């Protein structure tokens, strides 16, 4: 028995249903299932889940994240990827050298895009495949909006890249690196997507907006 | 405490014309601060409160880090201009106490185990005070936490009740608080009716306390509806 409909806005502690299965961002007490966050309830078959409207980023296996180096150690870098967890990038991901020139690879303040290989039980990510992002600028958006900014099969972001002729790297942690001629235009478009993420027909409107200003 | 010079109840009505079980006007708006992860602005009678939530983020000093759960830190602060006589800025005995009881109440609902080693910072700023600021602050903080998208078991809804001129009433105003006999602030989890904060200043008999408790729980339930409405608005992050 569901107490809410598909796409309803729910708040923490709200009853979602009884004797149902539940997925992300829900919790149960006996037979009763409640929402743990403020978000949109999604119902499929006998399972309910809640998509948060806002929220902190938790690393997941397979994510691409963008971090900023905050400290350089003898065999590791410490990065800020915008989570509460400690985030360490080990030197063997870039070099087999026993004493690598750490600062030659990444120095404090450098932006790095990395892949999350694994996440341990306290949400610390194991990172690999670092790539330095030189030039350009980084903006921060609500991490829950990233899927909308990427679009289905990255359609939205590919469209923005092609139409503005810029290089964009999107981190699942809500950081977006933009390199190219017209950064301000890309920033405006991404902020529009973030603001209007819950509306439909967004891709067409963004496409029209990009064509118009040319 | 009791000051017979001030008549708190006249013709069955209170100083501001409210009934005994009537709350002051309450208005809540979520998402008022651009740079905070979650925020809420609350007007409760003449109280004006802003609550901001930051995090989960890295916790310093490091010895406070707990690898099994996050740490919830709460700071209640009254602005120097929030009361009639200028308040000396900075933490004092009262604000340290309120910070502590607020943090304790919020720890009951926030799923801290999801963010090990991290800290969730809650800041409550009282811009204008008019009795019942700990309740106002806690109600705003709970909306700000939900707005930040931090997993919680429930919201926290609050209300006060008290005794003025031999009558038990809900949601004391400033004069009622200053010249009344007793003041009972409570905070509950509205869907389960569990108590997460209960304090009492002054003296009540057992019967009076039971009545005050009932009134405060009813008041908190009304506050919950306002909190719910504030959070139901999508957009405007």
């Amino acid at each position: 028995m569901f107490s809410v409909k598909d796409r309803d806005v729910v708040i923490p502690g709200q009853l979602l249903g009884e004797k149902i299965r539940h997925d992300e961002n829900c919790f149960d007490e006996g037979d009763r299932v409640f929402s743990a966050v403020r978000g949109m309830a999604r119902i499929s078959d006998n399972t309910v889940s809640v998509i948060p409207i806002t929220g902190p980023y938790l690393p997941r296996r397979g994510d691409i994240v963008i971090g900023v180096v905050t400290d350089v150690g003898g065999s590791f870098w410490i990065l800020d990827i915008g989570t509460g967890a400690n985030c360490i990038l080990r030197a063997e991901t870039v070099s087999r050298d026993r004493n690598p020139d750490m600062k030659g690879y990444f120095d404090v303040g450098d932006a790095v895009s990395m892949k999350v290989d694994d996440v341990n039980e306290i949400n610390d990510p194991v990172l690999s495949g670092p790539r330095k992002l030189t030039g350009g600028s980084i903006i921060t958006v609500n991490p829950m909006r990233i899927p909308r900014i990427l679009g289905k099969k990255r359609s939205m972001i590919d469209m923005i890249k092609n139409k503005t002729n810029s290089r964009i790297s999107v981190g699942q942690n809500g950081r977006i690196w933009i390199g190219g001629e017209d950064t301000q235009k890309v920033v405006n478009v991404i902020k529009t997507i973030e603001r209007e993420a819950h509306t439909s027909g967004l891709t067409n409107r963004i496409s029209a907006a990009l064509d118009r200003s040319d | 405490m009791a000051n017979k010079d001030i008549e708190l109840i006249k013709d069955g009505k209170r100083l501001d014309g409210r009934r005994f079980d009537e709350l002051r006007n309450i208005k809540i708006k979520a998402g008022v601060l651009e740079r905070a992860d979650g925020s809420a602005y609350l007007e409760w009678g003449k109280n004006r409160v802003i609550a901001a939530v930051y995090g989960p983020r890295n916790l310093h000093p490091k010895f406070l880090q707990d690898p099994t759960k996050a740490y919830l830190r709460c700071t209640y602060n009254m602005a120097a201009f929030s009361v009639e006589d200028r308040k000396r800025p900075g933490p004092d005995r009262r604000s340290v106490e309120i910070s502590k009881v607020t943090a304790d109440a919020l720890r009951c609902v926030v799923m801290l185990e999801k963010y090990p080693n991290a800290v969730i910072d809650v800041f409550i700023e009282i811009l204008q005070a008019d009795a019942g600021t700990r309740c106002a602050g806690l109600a705003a903080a709970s909306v700000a936490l939900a707005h930040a998208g931090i997993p919680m078991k429930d919201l926290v809804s609050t209300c006060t009740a008290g005794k003025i001129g031999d009558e038990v009433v809900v949601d004391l105003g400033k004069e009622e608080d200053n010249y009344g006999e007793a003041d009972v602030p409570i905070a509950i989890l509205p869907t389960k009716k569990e108590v997460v904060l209960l304090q009492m200043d002054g003296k009540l008999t057992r019967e009076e306390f039971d009545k005050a408790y009932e009134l405060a729980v009813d008041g908190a339930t009304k506050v919950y509806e306002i909190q719910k409405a504030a959070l139901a608005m999508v957009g405007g992050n």
Side-chain angles (χ1 to χ4, degrees):
Chain A
M1 264 302 295
F2 289 100
S3 312
V4 291
K5 291 193 291 291
D6 194 32
R7 291 181 172 272
D8 271 2
V9 174
V10 296
I11 59 163
Q14 187 171 343
L15 182 69
L16 299 176
E18 282 174 49
K19 296 192 175 167
I20 51 173
R21 287 155 63 88
H22 62 88
D23 201 357
E24 286 186 317
N25 299 311
C26 305
F27 66 100
D28 63 274
E29 280 171 9
D31 285 340
R32 313 210 297 162
V33 175
F34 302 89
S35 172
V37 297
R38 168 173 171 260
M40 191 191 272
R42 296 310 307 270
I43 293 168
S44 58
D45 299 327
N46 194 30
T47 307
V48 66
S49 64
V50 179
I51 302 168
I53 295 171
T54 49
Y57 169 72
L58 275 183
R60 283 192 196 184
R61 190 183 292 182
D63 280 358
I64 301 288
V65 294
I66 294 174
V68 176
V69 178
T70 56
D71 196 6
V72 183
S75 62
F76 60 89
W77 294 271
I78 295 180
L79 296 110
D80 164 28
I81 62 163
T83 66
N86 304 314
C87 188
I88 289 164
L89 176 69
R90 298 170 70 90
E92 55 254 41
T93 55
V94 292
S95 166
R96 289 191 163 197
D97 196 338
R98 271 182 177 278
N99 286 309
D101 169 25
M102 297 295 288
K103 292 195 173 176
Y105 288 102
F106 310 117
D107 204 349
V108 173
D110 283 351
V112 186
S113 120
M114 296 150 292
K115 192 177 167 207
V116 178
D117 264 355
D118 206 352
V119 181
N120 69 6
E121 59 273 19
I122 56 165
N123 295 327
D124 287 346
V126 178
L127 298 163
S128 74
R131 193 163 60 88
K132 191 159 158 182
L133 302 167
T134 40
S137 45
I138 292 181
I139 60 166
T140 309
V141 298
N142 177 355
M144 300 300 146
R145 301 292 197 221
I146 292 292
R148 199 70 163 119
I149 291 166
L150 290 173
K152 265 184 196 152
K153 292 183 186 163
R154 302 180 70 90
S155 57
M156 182 82 89
I157 201 74
D158 285 344
M159 181 187 78
I160 299 171
K161 273 186 198 166
N162 290 333
K163 292 204 175 180
T164 59
N165 202 15
S166 52
R167 289 171 298 141
I168 306 174
S169 177
V170 180
Q172 297 286 340
N173 57 339
R175 299 230 178 108
I176 300 175
W177 176 88
I178 304 157
E181 299 286 298
D182 205 349
T183 309
Q184 193 54 46
K185 190 172 165 188
V186 180
V187 172
N188 291 343
V189 165
I190 289 174
K191 288 287 173 192
T192 310
I193 302 173
E194 191 192 7
R195 206 166 42 240
E196 299 176 12
H198 55 287
T199 58
S200 55
L202 192 56
T203 315
N204 294 335
R205 263 181 292 139
I206 294 296
S207 170
L210 285 171
D211 289 339
R212 200 166 43 238
S213 44
D214 279 343
Chain B
M1 284 264 303
N3 188 334
K4 297 296 173 202
D5 296 334
I6 288 191
E7 204 178 349
L8 291 169
I9 297 175
K10 229 183 208 166
D11 310 328
K13 292 259 173 137
R14 290 151 73 177
L15 278 181
D16 48 3
R18 282 187 287 152
R19 294 187 311 274
F20 294 156
D21 62 346
E22 192 176 343
L23 298 180
R24 291 174 281 180
N25 281 334
I26 304 174
K27 224 165 73 183
I28 307 179
K29 190 166 185 267
V32 289
L33 301 177
E34 179 84 6
R35 303 283 300 167
D37 293 315
S39 59
Y41 170 70
L42 176 141
E43 292 182 11
W44 187 323
K46 285 184 202 150
N47 287 316
R48 302 283 184 275
V49 182
I50 283 187
V53 171
Y54 297 85
R57 59 184 180 184
N58 246 323
L59 172 54
H60 291 289
K62 266 195 153 174
F63 66 82
L64 287 174
Q65 285 188 359
D66 183 346
T68 64
K69 62 177 193 293
Y71 185 73
L72 194 143
R73 201 157 47 180
C74 186
T75 313
Y76 167 101
N77 186 43
M78 280 177 107
F81 50 82
S82 64
V83 277
E84 272 167 25
D85 299 324
R86 177 177 182 274
K87 181 198 170 284
R88 195 167 179 269
D92 51 18
R93 191 201 56 77
R94 180 175 167 277
S95 67
V96 169
E97 176 210 319
I98 297 179
S99 303
K100 191 218 171 259
V101 294
T102 306
D104 285 351
L106 292 172
R107 280 187 198 119
C108 297
V109 289
V110 178
M111 296 179 174
L112 294 170
E113 64 281 3
K114 297 227 173 185
Y115 304 102
N117 284 336
V119 64
I120 297 166
D121 272 316
V122 180
F123 294 98
I124 298 168
E125 203 70 26
I126 309 293
L127 305 178
Q128 186 170 298
D130 190 64
T133 54
R134 76 186 65 199
C135 284
L138 185 47
S142 137
V143 173
L145 276 168
H147 176 254
I150 290 164
M152 297 156 80
K153 291 201 184 94
D154 204 344
L155 295 181
V156 178
S157 298
T158 58
C159 197
T160 60
K163 188 181 161 197
I164 53 166
D166 296 329
E167 285 286 347
V168 178
V169 299
V170 77
D171 191 17
L172 302 183
K174 195 179 174 208
E175 292 78 18
E176 297 170 337
D177 193 26
N178 289 349
Y179 302 112
E181 277 90 60
D183 175 25
V184 184
I186 72 155
I188 57 165
L189 312 185
T191 59
K192 298 176 194 73
K193 298 275 184 288
E194 285 174 26
V195 176
V196 289
L197 180 145
L198 175 62
Q199 295 182 302
M200 182 160 86
D201 181 14
K203 275 184 187 158
L204 290 178
T205 64
R206 178 64 197 262
E207 289 71 35
E208 284 167 346
F209 174 80
D210 286 344
K211 197 174 169 203
Y213 176 78
E214 290 294 324
L215 278 174
V217 169
D218 284 351
T221 314
K222 286 175 195 155
V223 173
Y224 177 56
E225 296 303 321
I226 301 165
Q227 290 176 310
K228 243 164 59 173
L231 286 170
M233 312 244 253
V234 187
N237 293 309

